[in-house]
Amino acid sequence: MIIKSKLSADPLALILGIISLVIILFGCCCGILAVVSLILSIIGLVSASNSLKEYYSNPEVYSLQSKQNVYAAKIICIIGTIISALFILAFAFVFFIYQISISDVFKEKIEEINNRKVNDSLFYNESINEYNTNDSIYKDSTYVDTVSWK
């Protein structure tokens, strides 16, 4: 009876695939974990593909069970890669939408500040480089006469 050897990525690719799936399924609330899971599954996928190339180049040296383990690991790593990539795309989309809403808030605040400068009773006139004061107050574009204290 001839003892056939195991492929080089037989335990490694399977372990990396399982770890990437566990990380992405239990740590899906954090975006950085999706990146870690993607990296682990890609490493497992590359090592499984290289081991399968080894097997197909010289199948009589390696055991059939080892080939099946590596093939299962390759499938697990593909699933982990797809799920991780989808989570990364979802986080990127949410981040993009969040940034758009934040920019709208900043734009509104800048417009509010600019309107406040125009409506103040004391403002700086840049064209003649002097301060102008009014005896009346403008509040939200509504004219209000000054109140006299008698």
Side-chain angles (χ1 to χ4, degrees), residues 101-115:
S101 66
I102 290 294
S103 67
D104 288 343
V105 168
F106 284 136
K107 185 178 177 183
E108 290 172 3
K109 289 294 182 184
I110 289 172
E111 288 176 359
E112 181 182 316
I113 290 170
N114 287 338
N115 288 339

PDB file of all heavy atoms in Angstrom, residues 101-115:
ATOM      1  N   SER A 101     -25.091  63.645   3.553  1.00  0.00           N
ATOM      2  CA  SER A 101     -25.967  64.313   4.520  1.00  0.00           C
ATOM      3  C   SER A 101     -25.182  65.265   5.408  1.00  0.00           C
ATOM      4  O   SER A 101     -25.674  66.336   5.754  1.00  0.00           O
ATOM      5  CB  SER A 101     -26.721  63.292   5.356  1.00  0.00           C
ATOM      6  OG  SER A 101     -25.837  62.559   6.164  1.00  0.00           O
ATOM      7  N   ILE A 102     -23.950  64.906   5.760  1.00  0.00           N
ATOM      8  CA  ILE A 102     -23.116  65.803   6.567  1.00  0.00           C
ATOM      9  C   ILE A 102     -22.767  67.060   5.773  1.00  0.00           C
ATOM     10  O   ILE A 102     -22.777  68.162   6.312  1.00  0.00           O
ATOM     11  CB  ILE A 102     -21.832  65.073   7.032  1.00  0.00           C
ATOM     12  CG1 ILE A 102     -22.168  64.022   8.071  1.00  0.00           C
ATOM     13  CG2 ILE A 102     -20.801  66.039   7.583  1.00  0.00           C
ATOM     14  CD1 ILE A 102     -22.695  64.574   9.374  1.00  0.00           C
ATOM     15  N   SER A 103     -22.472  66.909   4.481  1.00  0.00           N
ATOM     16  CA  SER A 103     -22.144  68.087   3.675  1.00  0.00           C
ATOM     17  C   SER A 103     -23.354  69.007   3.546  1.00  0.00           C
ATOM     18  O   SER A 103     -23.201  70.225   3.507  1.00  0.00           O
ATOM     19  CB  SER A 103     -21.627  67.670   2.302  1.00  0.00           C
ATOM     20  OG  SER A 103     -22.641  67.068   1.545  1.00  0.00           O
ATOM     21  N   ASP A 104     -24.560  68.455   3.489  1.00  0.00           N
ATOM     22  CA  ASP A 104     -25.760  69.288   3.457  1.00  0.00           C
ATOM     23  C   ASP A 104     -25.917  70.063   4.761  1.00  0.00           C
ATOM     24  O   ASP A 104     -26.308  71.240   4.745  1.00  0.00           O
ATOM     25  CB  ASP A 104     -27.005  68.438   3.208  1.00  0.00           C
ATOM     26  CG  ASP A 104     -27.095  67.929   1.787  1.00  0.00           C
ATOM     27  OD1 ASP A 104     -26.392  68.490   0.909  1.00  0.00           O
ATOM     28  OD2 ASP A 104     -27.856  66.972   1.554  1.00  0.00           O
ATOM     29  N   VAL A 105     -25.616  69.440   5.879  1.00  0.00           N
ATOM     30  CA  VAL A 105     -25.703  70.123   7.173  1.00  0.00           C
ATOM     31  C   VAL A 105     -24.690  71.268   7.231  1.00  0.00           C
ATOM     32  O   VAL A 105     -25.018  72.376   7.670  1.00  0.00           O
ATOM     33  CB  VAL A 105     -25.475  69.119   8.329  1.00  0.00           C
ATOM     34  CG1 VAL A 105     -25.282  69.841   9.646  1.00  0.00           C
ATOM     35  CG2 VAL A 105     -26.620  68.138   8.407  1.00  0.00           C
ATOM     36  N   PHE A 106     -23.458  71.025   6.759  1.00  0.00           N
ATOM     37  CA  PHE A 106     -22.447  72.087   6.748  1.00  0.00           C
ATOM     38  C   PHE A 106     -22.862  73.229   5.826  1.00  0.00           C
ATOM     39  O   PHE A 106     -22.671  74.398   6.151  1.00  0.00           O
ATOM     40  CB  PHE A 106     -21.083  71.546   6.342  1.00  0.00           C
ATOM     41  CG  PHE A 106     -20.387  70.776   7.424  1.00  0.00           C
ATOM     42  CD1 PHE A 106     -19.753  69.577   7.128  1.00  0.00           C
ATOM     43  CD2 PHE A 106     -20.342  71.244   8.718  1.00  0.00           C
ATOM     44  CE1 PHE A 106     -19.109  68.862   8.115  1.00  0.00           C
ATOM     45  CE2 PHE A 106     -19.703  70.538   9.715  1.00  0.00           C
ATOM     46  CZ  PHE A 106     -19.086  69.345   9.415  1.00  0.00           C
ATOM     47  N   LYS A 107     -23.447  72.886   4.699  1.00  0.00           N
ATOM     48  CA  LYS A 107     -23.885  73.915   3.764  1.00  0.00           C
ATOM     49  C   LYS A 107     -24.973  74.774   4.391  1.00  0.00           C
ATOM     50  O   LYS A 107     -24.966  76.002   4.256  1.00  0.00           O
ATOM     51  CB  LYS A 107     -24.396  73.255   2.484  1.00  0.00           C
ATOM     52  CG  LYS A 107     -24.775  74.210   1.400  1.00  0.00           C
ATOM     53  CD  LYS A 107     -25.218  73.462   0.159  1.00  0.00           C
ATOM     54  CE  LYS A 107     -25.665  74.405  -0.927  1.00  0.00           C
ATOM     55  NZ  LYS A 107     -26.168  73.690  -2.106  1.00  0.00           N
ATOM     56  N   GLU A 108     -25.926  74.155   5.081  1.00  0.00           N
ATOM     57  CA  GLU A 108     -26.983  74.905   5.755  1.00  0.00           C
ATOM     58  C   GLU A 108     -26.420  75.802   6.846  1.00  0.00           C
ATOM     59  O   GLU A 108     -26.856  76.945   7.012  1.00  0.00           O
ATOM     60  CB  GLU A 108     -28.016  73.947   6.338  1.00  0.00           C
ATOM     61  CG  GLU A 108     -28.857  73.245   5.304  1.00  0.00           C
ATOM     62  CD  GLU A 108     -29.737  72.165   5.897  1.00  0.00           C
ATOM     63  OE1 GLU A 108     -29.733  71.986   7.139  1.00  0.00           O
ATOM     64  OE2 GLU A 108     -30.423  71.478   5.111  1.00  0.00           O
ATOM     65  N   LYS A 109     -25.447  75.305   7.604  1.00  0.00           N
ATOM     66  CA  LYS A 109     -24.842  76.112   8.672  1.00  0.00           C
ATOM     67  C   LYS A 109     -24.096  77.309   8.093  1.00  0.00           C
ATOM     68  O   LYS A 109     -24.154  78.415   8.641  1.00  0.00           O
ATOM     69  CB  LYS A 109     -23.888  75.269   9.520  1.00  0.00           C
ATOM     70  CG  LYS A 109     -24.578  74.264  10.389  1.00  0.00           C
ATOM     71  CD  LYS A 109     -25.412  74.947  11.436  1.00  0.00           C
ATOM     72  CE  LYS A 109     -26.057  73.904  12.327  1.00  0.00           C
ATOM     73  NZ  LYS A 109     -26.953  74.490  13.306  1.00  0.00           N
ATOM     74  N   ILE A 110     -23.396  77.129   6.982  1.00  0.00           N
ATOM     75  CA  ILE A 110     -22.670  78.241   6.349  1.00  0.00           C
ATOM     76  C   ILE A 110     -23.656  79.281   5.829  1.00  0.00           C
ATOM     77  O   ILE A 110     -23.434  80.486   5.990  1.00  0.00           O
ATOM     78  CB  ILE A 110     -21.754  77.702   5.236  1.00  0.00           C
ATOM     79  CG1 ILE A 110     -20.588  76.934   5.852  1.00  0.00           C
ATOM     80  CG2 ILE A 110     -21.234  78.837   4.363  1.00  0.00           C
ATOM     81  CD1 ILE A 110     -19.726  76.197   4.853  1.00  0.00           C
ATOM     82  N   GLU A 111     -24.751  78.829   5.221  1.00  0.00           N
ATOM     83  CA  GLU A 111     -25.773  79.773   4.766  1.00  0.00           C
ATOM     84  C   GLU A 111     -26.400  80.523   5.934  1.00  0.00           C
ATOM     85  O   GLU A 111     -26.671  81.721   5.841  1.00  0.00           O
ATOM     86  CB  GLU A 111     -26.840  79.035   3.962  1.00  0.00           C
ATOM     87  CG  GLU A 111     -26.387  78.578   2.603  1.00  0.00           C
ATOM     88  CD  GLU A 111     -27.439  77.760   1.880  1.00  0.00           C
ATOM     89  OE1 GLU A 111     -28.529  77.528   2.452  1.00  0.00           O
ATOM     90  OE2 GLU A 111     -27.149  77.334   0.753  1.00  0.00           O
ATOM     91  N   GLU A 112     -26.602  79.836   7.043  1.00  0.00           N
ATOM     92  CA  GLU A 112     -27.154  80.475   8.232  1.00  0.00           C
ATOM     93  C   GLU A 112     -26.211  81.541   8.765  1.00  0.00           C
ATOM     94  O   GLU A 112     -26.626  82.628   9.148  1.00  0.00           O
ATOM     95  CB  GLU A 112     -27.423  79.413   9.291  1.00  0.00           C
ATOM     96  CG  GLU A 112     -28.013  79.942  10.568  1.00  0.00           C
ATOM     97  CD  GLU A 112     -28.207  78.826  11.579  1.00  0.00           C
ATOM     98  OE1 GLU A 112     -28.697  77.748  11.199  1.00  0.00           O
ATOM     99  OE2 GLU A 112     -27.858  79.053  12.757  1.00  0.00           O
ATOM    100  N   ILE A 113     -24.933  81.239   8.773  1.00  0.00           N
ATOM    101  CA  ILE A 113     -23.936  82.214   9.235  1.00  0.00           C
ATOM    102  C   ILE A 113     -23.892  83.408   8.301  1.00  0.00           C
ATOM    103  O   ILE A 113     -23.833  84.559   8.745  1.00  0.00           O
ATOM    104  CB  ILE A 113     -22.557  81.543   9.366  1.00  0.00           C
ATOM    105  CG1 ILE A 113     -22.556  80.576  10.540  1.00  0.00           C
ATOM    106  CG2 ILE A 113     -21.457  82.583   9.531  1.00  0.00           C
ATOM    107  CD1 ILE A 113     -21.332  79.696  10.617  1.00  0.00           C
ATOM    108  N   ASN A 114     -23.936  83.163   7.000  1.00  0.00           N
ATOM    109  CA  ASN A 114     -23.937  84.272   6.037  1.00  0.00           C
ATOM    110  C   ASN A 114     -25.190  85.127   6.182  1.00  0.00           C
ATOM    111  O   ASN A 114     -25.112  86.354   6.087  1.00  0.00           O
ATOM    112  CB  ASN A 114     -23.818  83.739   4.610  1.00  0.00           C
ATOM    113  CG  ASN A 114     -22.432  83.222   4.306  1.00  0.00           C
ATOM    114  OD1 ASN A 114     -21.474  83.592   4.961  1.00  0.00           O
ATOM    115  ND2 ASN A 114     -22.332  82.356   3.316  1.00  0.00           N
ATOM    116  N   ASN A 115     -26.345  84.520   6.399  1.00  0.00           N
ATOM    117  CA  ASN A 115     -27.578  85.284   6.605  1.00  0.00           C
ATOM    118  C   ASN A 115     -27.521  86.077   7.892  1.00  0.00           C
ATOM    119  O   ASN A 115     -28.032  87.187   7.964  1.00  0.00           O
ATOM    120  CB  ASN A 115     -28.793  84.354   6.619  1.00  0.00           C
ATOM    121  CG  ASN A 115     -29.112  83.812   5.263  1.00  0.00           C
ATOM    122  OD1 ASN A 115     -28.718  84.386   4.253  1.00  0.00           O
ATOM    123  ND2 ASN A 115     -29.804  82.688   5.223  1.00  0.00           N
TER     124      ASN A 115
END
